[in-house]
Amino acid sequence: MTDSFPAFLDRRLETLAPEALRRHQWERLRALALAAVPANPFITAQWQWAGLAGPDDLRGWDDFRRLPLTRKSELVEDQAAHPPFGTNLSYPLERYVRVHQTSGTTGAPLRWLDTQESWEWWARCWGFVLRGAGLGPGDRVFFPFSFGLFVGFWAGFEGARALGALAIPGGGQDSAQRLAAMETLGATAVCCTPSYALHLAEVARERGVALERLGVRATVHAGEPGAGIPAVRARIEAAWGARAYDHAGMTEMGAYGFECAARAGLHVNEAEFIAEVIDPATGRPAEEGELVLSNLGRLGSPLLRYRTGDRVRVAREPCECGRSFLRLDGGILGRVDDMLIVRGVNVFPSALEGIVRRFAAVDEFVIEVYRRGELDEVRLLLEVTENAMPVVAAVQEAVRVDLGIRVEAVPVPGQSLPRYELKARRLVRRSSE
Ligand SMILES: [Zn+2]
């Protein structure tokens, strides 16, 4: 099977022994240092801060760990001070061929440039993701995505092509047209956010389209952590009659996480990224905490020791797929700063989603958070198809049993909550009740 894949997807990279993997990363890091220091003002400033004068001062992993952690706010400030692209550029502007930007969910959008080489690197990283989902030449991968400035599915589209699969663009279409295109063109896989997969399932149901007969055997999900939540995954798989795979990536970092056939959490692609997990408060190494990443192949605009803001837990047992890449148990558990403290209990919105999605009668939901005195209070708005009150009461009871907290849950009319093609915003903070 490996023979039909392009050479860059050499399976041996995924199964390297730990020392060989570190050596591979080290060689890539050296190459990055030579390209970015001293040509790249942003990276060079970080090296100077760490007391490293040039690439030759990088002698061992201790030197790497002296580099400062990079925060998103620094990137935003750098772009504000040097508009529009900031100073994290290793080459003259004319070397760059792609521009994308973040969704701006948490503040001003961040713009990011890629060179030919780093755009090919993106495709390569997505090749790992799609192959992890068992896809390859002969597959037809549909992208129900509007192909705007958000990088995720552009890169996935390129990844499908690089892998030798047929990439089908689904831009400029509404959901019904997308369902028809998938059927006509014989799509075998779909890449979209978990929310949009559920939305397409809703549209199919309304139109009497039997989704499970379309022939889609895998769905690959990015943009939100949902596919790593068992109840969300089960719901997508039941609707599509396909296996759902989680994926994690960021505009400023790259496509770093993917699931294999075992679907035992996210693998971090350590052939292309260095992963660290730290205690977000102290910065010390931790088994559960904030994921810190460095990318090794985006030489034109690299990021070293970047605080992703994602909370993860390291799985230590080897994966049955044989990959030696780091595995994150349960995928992305939530955003470090999204954690709610409800009556003294730490609660991630993803935990609430995991409960709500177990109830088939709930089509959509919103988590409202507001302050009552000094406390966070949560109210769940549930869009329930029929028999609302018993369902609402059952959700409340499940939250109480599973998480040990009491939340208010209220039914809202069908189709009254927003649907999303990209990142869903189901957590709403209200200033007061
Ligand atoms: Zn695996």
Side-chain angles (χ1 to χ4, degrees):
M1 176 170 157
T2 323
D3 293 341
S4 56
F5 287 108
F8 69 78
L9 278 171
D10 187 342
R11 182 70 213 262
R12 281 171 296 183
L13 278 176
E14 296 181 308
T15 52
L16 286 176
E19 320 78 66
L21 189 54
R22 295 299 153 243
R23 228 168 19 243
H24 166 87
Q25 290 179 327
W26 184 256
E27 281 159 22
R28 303 286 304 278
L29 186 63
R30 281 278 307 164
L32 185 152
L34 288 166
V37 184
N40 180 318
F42 188 86
I43 300 292
T44 300
Q46 292 186 319
W47 283 54
Q48 284 170 348
W49 186 92
L52 304 174
D56 289 340
D57 281 355
L58 187 73
R59 295 193 189 89
W61 286 107
D62 283 345
D63 293 323
F64 170 74
R65 282 185 285 267
R66 274 159 61 198
L67 292 170
L69 296 170
T70 310
R71 290 171 182 275
K72 185 172 183 181
S73 57
E74 294 169 56
L75 300 170
V76 171
E77 283 161 22
D78 176 61
Q79 291 201 349
H82 305 275
F85 302 118
T87 65
N88 184 4
L89 300 169
S90 310
Y91 305 111
L93 271 179
E94 52 272 24
R95 279 281 295 274
Y96 295 82
V97 298
R98 301 287 310 214
V99 61
H100 298 96
Q101 70 181 38
T102 61
S103 57
T105 323
T106 51
L110 200 55
R111 285 171 285 272
W112 218 262
L113 292 174
D114 281 295
T115 62
Q116 294 281 16
E117 297 79 9
S118 50
W119 191 237
E120 274 155 27
W121 172 80
W122 264 105
R124 195 158 78 223
C125 294
W126 260 92
F128 282 85
V129 176
L130 297 172
R131 190 176 60 177
L135 302 172
D139 275 300
R140 299 176 186 182
V141 190
F142 189 76
F143 291 84
F145 167 59
S146 54
F147 292 91
L149 279 164
F150 177 66
V151 67
F153 296 108
W154 275 112
F157 193 77
E158 291 289 303
R161 194 253 317 150
L163 188 65
L166 182 69
I168 310 172
Q173 298 180 321
D174 65 22
S175 297
Q177 290 168 325
R178 285 168 168 168
L179 289 169
M182 270 184 260
E183 188 168 12
T184 308
L185 298 173
T188 62
V190 176
C191 290
C192 61
T193 61
S195 300
Y196 194 67
L198 290 172
H199 177 60
L200 275 177
E202 244 187 298
V203 174
R205 191 177 67 202
E206 283 158 16
R207 299 187 160 253
V209 176
L211 211 48
E212 68 280 7
R213 292 217 206 101
L214 280 189
V216 170
R217 62 188 180 86
T219 60
V220 180
H221 300 291
E224 307 162 4
I229 302 172
V232 178
R233 188 202 299 276
R235 200 172 168 127
I236 295 171
E237 294 192 334
W240 286 82
R243 282 166 76 85
Y245 293 85
D246 197 10
H247 153 64
M250 304 175 94
T251 305
E252 61 274 41
M253 176 52 63
Y256 66 85
F258 65 96
E259 274 190 319
C260 64
R263 298 187 303 168
L266 278 174
H267 281 292
V268 176
N269 180 352
E270 290 187 279
E272 301 292 344
F273 298 86
I274 297 167
E276 302 168 78
V277 178
I278 62 164
D279 178 327
T282 64
R284 292 205 194 92
E287 290 293 291
E288 178 170 345
E290 183 174 356
L291 180 65
V292 172
L293 290 172
S294 305
N295 54 20
L296 295 167
R298 210 177 185 184
L299 306 194
S301 48
L303 263 186
L304 296 175
R305 307 199 76 208
Y306 185 58
R307 294 186 69 150
T308 62
D310 286 331
R311 191 169 188 94
V312 297
R313 183 167 53 230
V314 174
R316 284 296 167 201
E317 313 74 51
C319 187
E320 63 184 59
C321 73
R323 285 176 178 84
S324 49
F325 288 171
L326 174 70
R327 195 156 51 89
L328 304 174
D329 191 18
I332 307 297
L333 304 174
R335 299 286 298 166
V336 170
D337 45 10
D338 261 0
M339 193 178 74
L340 309 170
I341 303 173
V342 183
R343 298 174 195 215
V345 179
N346 296 352
V347 181
F348 278 106
S350 56
L352 287 166
E353 175 162 16
I355 292 169
V356 171
R357 287 301 192 196
R358 298 209 298 257
F359 294 85
V362 180
D363 275 338
E364 259 304 339
F365 69 98
V366 159
I367 303 167
E368 277 191 347
V369 182
Y370 57 93
R371 300 284 282 182
R372 181 178 284 165
E374 289 305 303
L375 299 173
D376 274 338
E377 294 275 349
V378 168
R379 181 187 291 131
L380 295 173
L381 308 183
L382 305 175
E383 216 184 273
V384 184
T385 27
E386 54 197 28
N387 239 345
M389 288 327 286
V391 174
V392 166
V395 171
Q396 263 176 323
E397 178 60 10
V399 171
R400 191 188 66 75
V401 170
D402 286 16
L403 302 179
I405 53 169
R406 287 178 194 280
V407 298
E408 186 189 353
V410 291
V412 296
Q415 302 295 323
S416 63
L417 298 176
R419 304 296 197 266
Y420 301 91
E421 180 186 305
L422 282 179
K423 283 178 203 278
R425 292 174 198 182
R426 296 201 180 85
L427 181 73
V428 178
R429 287 181 191 273
R430 305 244 178 262
S431 48
S432 63
E433 193 182 353

